[in-house]
Amino acid sequence: MRPQRLLNTAVYKATPSSGLSVTKPCFRDHTTKMKVAAIASLILPLVVPSVFAWGAEGHEAVGYIAMQFLAPSARSFVESSLGSMYSYSLGPAATWADVIKSKSAYKWSSELHYVDAIDAPPTSCNVDEVRDCGGGHCILSAIANYTSRIVDTTLDDSQRQEALKFLDHFIGDIGQPLHVEAYERGGNNITAMCAGKASNLHAVWDSGIIVQLLKNEYSNSLTAWVDELVSRIQDGVYELDTTNWISCSSTTEPVQSDGISARTVADDIAYFLEESPAITPLQCPLVWAGESNALVCFDVLNYASRSQDFCAGDYYDAAVNDIQLQIAKQGYRLAAWLNVLFDGSTFLP
Ligand SMILES: *[C@@H]1O[C@H](CO)[C@@H](O)[C@H](O)[C@H]1NC(C)=O
Ligand SMILES: *[C@@H]1O[C@H](CO)[C@@H](O)[C@H](O)[C@H]1NC(C)=O
């Protein structure tokens, strides 16, 4: 039920300074110019999606961060599967799932971008796989489905590419607190002002805060922001936490369904691919969902007044920290996930 056209949502363009998804055309003659225009018209829909999930920036950041941590076989699969159409990168490919979900052939996929946790925020936040993904069509089951399909060599290349693009996107979305919350349609129904413009709380968390951050601190450069998050992971404020990020243990969401209290991404995937008889949600994504959902009870719904500006002041300060941490985590986790699938281990510290 989430998809909804958002009023007054900014249209995101790849910023010239990002230089990530658009190659600068060099106009030599008329024919080249026309060719470039034709190619641009094919490519633009990929980089200027309508925005419902983490905006284009958030998703691309998750993809670009993951690229920095891929092991050799995972990298080789990603590059050959995505090809030149996506600049061989999870960054540009990360927004595909948002672009196609409104098309009739892919309408069925729109409900896979979230799980509607029917909890009681701000008093009580929790995710329950049976309660919240009962019909088996939510982000948890989708991650399971595409985890099994991406390594299914009986599928053709385009089906495995589709699985990769869905994982690239959903492992991002599961880190957005309001993609793991039913309350007020994941915040879509809460009107909220962002930088002086009418918006809603869901859109503020998907994109409003990120756009404001890029403007405030990175001269609108996605590359500069990604570089900063990667350096926080490698030898900055996030470094000591990265082991926890891929341990799949969580203080808010204990893993328990098969009696194992903490497991690694590698254990989780191995158990799923070798033992699990059906497409049932994996444990690590459930832990990640629990972490995101917990934020709904803390910072997401912690506003003084609905008429305040959500992209400024204390609310912005708290949200921008959460969002950067969530984006960094999900990029790192996406790399870990693909590394286990293609290289047999996370290859991460
Ligand atoms: C798994 O993915 C395929 C291809 O996108 C889709 O047709 C199918 O319905 C999915 N299955 C489940 C159980 O989600
Ligand atoms: C959200 O708003 C829509 C349209 O106004 C309404 O039909 C729906 O019941 C609301 N949902 C929730 C969960 O508040």
Side-chain angles (χ1 to χ4, degrees), residues 106 108-109 112 136-138 141-142 145-146 149 155 159 162-163 166 279:
Y106 276 101
W108 55 270
S109 70
L112 305 180
H137 292 281
C138 76
S141 51
N145 190 24
Y146 296 109
R149 291 175 67 86
L155 297 178
Q159 289 172 306
E162 180 197 76
F166 274 133
I279 303 292

Side-chain angles (χ1 to χ4, degrees), residues 118-145:
I118 308 168
D119 51 359
T123 318
S124 164
C125 278
N126 49 75
V127 184
D128 182 309
E129 178 190 322
V130 175
R131 178 192 66 192
D132 305 325
C133 193
H137 292 281
C138 76
I139 195 165
L140 297 167
S141 51
I143 289 174
N145 190 24

